[in-house]
């Protein structure tokens, strides 16, 4: 049986995610796959993603992976990265496309008019580069990571969750936005742990050992 399936629907930094997981879990069986049967049988599932949300949802469906991703999000340790976070919500302003609807909320575009920092400097969209992640809950995936550790971001959209209790961390750009969510067996992040050096590798390592039904 596969320990960790990295879902390949044609959009994602799959090699970097795979190499990072292999580094932190060298004895685990880790596969990058577009085969729904392999995803279904895997013990843990990682859904990365880069690009546009409409393409993401279209490709997920065309590869026959939508149903197994929904199933994984219901019953096994699930890690979403970037679009893998955004797709969990009801809908996105990017193309006005429907998401998977697992979590109530919307994916919104950074407002260009609001992109002014405290020194009156204009901030760029997309939000790209290193930024602090401020943890708001205790969680197994935060173990060994400073509460204001820096992670690497590349995105123009962010999630607006209806239920604030699922927010696991926020980042300022320039105002707070949710950058990590946690609910039951799901943990998903807007940043890229595979590009975030020690903090990112620690998070991925924690995921490979996480038992969500025994403890948070």
């Amino acid at each position: 049986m596969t320990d960790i399936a990295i879902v390949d629907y044609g959009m994602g930094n799959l090699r970097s995610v795979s190499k990072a997981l292999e580094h932190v879990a060298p004895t685990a069986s880790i596969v990058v796959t577009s085969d729904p049967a392999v995803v279904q049988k895997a013990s843990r599932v990682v859904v990365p993603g880069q690009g546009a949300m409409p393409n993401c949802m279209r490709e997920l469906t065309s590869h026959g992976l939508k149903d197994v991703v929904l199933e994984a999000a219901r019953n096994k340790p699930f890690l979403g990265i970037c679009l893998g976070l955004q797709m969990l919500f009801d809908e996105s302003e990017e193309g006005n496309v429907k998401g998977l609807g697992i979590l109530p909320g919307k994916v919104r575009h950074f407002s260009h008019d609001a992109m002014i920092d405290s020194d009156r400097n204009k901030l760029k969209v997309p939000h790209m580069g290193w930024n602090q992640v401020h943890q708001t809950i205790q969680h197994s995936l935060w173990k060994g990571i400073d509460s204001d550790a820096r992670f690497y971001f590349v995105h123009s959209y962010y999630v607006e969750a209806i239920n604030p209790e699922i927010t696991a961390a926020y980042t300022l750009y320039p105002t707070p936005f949710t950058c990590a969510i946690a609910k039951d067996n799901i943990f998903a992040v807007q940043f890229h742990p595979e590009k975030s050096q020690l903090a990112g590798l620690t998070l991925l390592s924690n995921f490979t050992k996480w038992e969500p039904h025994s403890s948070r």
Side-chain angles (χ1 to χ4, degrees), residues 16-117:
S16 294
V17 174
S18 178
K19 289 298 182 184
L21 284 167
E22 290 169 7
H23 177 76
V24 300
T27 63
S29 170
I30 301 168
V31 299
V32 176
T33 182
S34 58
D35 186 340
V38 174
V39 176
Q40 188 174 42
K41 293 177 182 178
S43 299
R44 300 169 186 272
V45 171
V46 179
V47 182
Q50 290 177 295
M53 187 71 162
N55 297 338
C56 162
M57 298 308 300
R58 183 183 66 247
E59 293 301 313
L60 196 68
T61 300
S62 69
H63 282 76
L65 290 162
K66 181 177 179 180
D67 287 343
V68 292
V69 168
L70 283 166
E71 181 183 352
R74 285 192 292 262
N75 60 28
K76 62 184 66 178
F78 180 103
L79 177 63
I81 299 173
C82 197
L83 282 181
L85 163 68
Q86 295 179 9
M87 70 168 62
L88 298 175
F89 287 80
D90 291 323
E91 59 183 323
S92 174
E93 289 183 346
E94 187 175 19
N96 295 315
V97 67
K98 296 292 185 184
L100 295 176
I102 296 169
L103 301 172
K106 190 168 186 177
V107 180
R108 298 195 179 277
H109 192 271
F110 283 115
S111 170
H112 288 281
D113 293 340
M115 293 290 103
I116 305 293
D117 68 13

Side-chain angles (χ1 to χ4, degrees), residues 12-212:
N13 193 12
L14 303 175
R15 180 173 173 80
S16 294
V17 174
S18 178
K19 289 298 182 184
L21 284 167
E22 290 169 7
H23 177 76
V24 300
T27 63
S29 170
I30 301 168
V31 299
V32 176
T33 182
S34 58
D35 186 340
V38 174
V39 176
Q40 188 174 42
K41 293 177 182 178
S43 299
R44 300 169 186 272
V45 171
V46 179
V47 182
Q50 290 177 295
M53 187 71 162
N55 297 338
C56 162
M57 298 308 300
R58 183 183 66 247
E59 293 301 313
L60 196 68
T61 300
S62 69
H63 282 76
L65 290 162
K66 181 177 179 180
D67 287 343
V68 292
V69 168
L70 283 166
E71 181 183 352
R74 285 192 292 262
N75 60 28
K76 62 184 66 178
F78 180 103
L79 177 63
I81 299 173
C82 197
L83 282 181
L85 163 68
Q86 295 179 9
M87 70 168 62
L88 298 175
F89 287 80
D90 291 323
E91 59 183 323
S92 174
E93 289 183 346
E94 187 175 19
N96 295 315
V97 67
K98 296 292 185 184
L100 295 176
I102 296 169
L103 301 172
K106 190 168 186 177
V107 180
R108 298 195 179 277
H109 192 271
F110 283 115
S111 170
H112 288 281
D113 293 340
M115 293 290 103
I116 305 293
D117 68 13
S118 58
D119 296 322
R120 307 305 298 171
N121 296 314
K122 185 71 174 177
L123 299 177
K124 294 180 179 179
V125 178
H127 171 216
M128 183 182 300
W130 296 86
N131 206 339
Q132 286 184 304
V133 168
H134 305 281
Q135 300 167 25
T136 58
I137 62 169
Q138 290 187 335
H139 195 282
S140 296
L141 267 70
W142 293 138
K143 183 178 179 181
I145 301 173
D146 291 342
S147 62
D148 57 356
R150 298 176 73 84
F151 288 82
Y152 189 81
F153 291 81
V154 183
H155 64 119
S156 299
Y157 292 80
Y158 64 96
V159 299
E160 183 179 80
I162 289 177
N163 181 2
E165 293 181 0
I166 69 171
T167 296
Y170 70 90
T171 291
L172 300 176
Y173 197 73
T175 56
F177 70 88
T178 295
C179 67
I181 62 94
K183 187 177 191 301
D184 302 327
N185 58 296
I186 297 172
F187 196 92
V189 297
Q190 184 61 65
F191 51 81
H192 289 270
E194 77 280 6
K195 298 180 180 179
S196 298
Q197 299 180 0
L198 180 59
L201 291 175
T202 301
L203 187 147
L204 292 174
S205 177
N206 291 339
F207 173 73
T208 67
K209 297 172 283 191
W210 179 36
E211 298 296 337

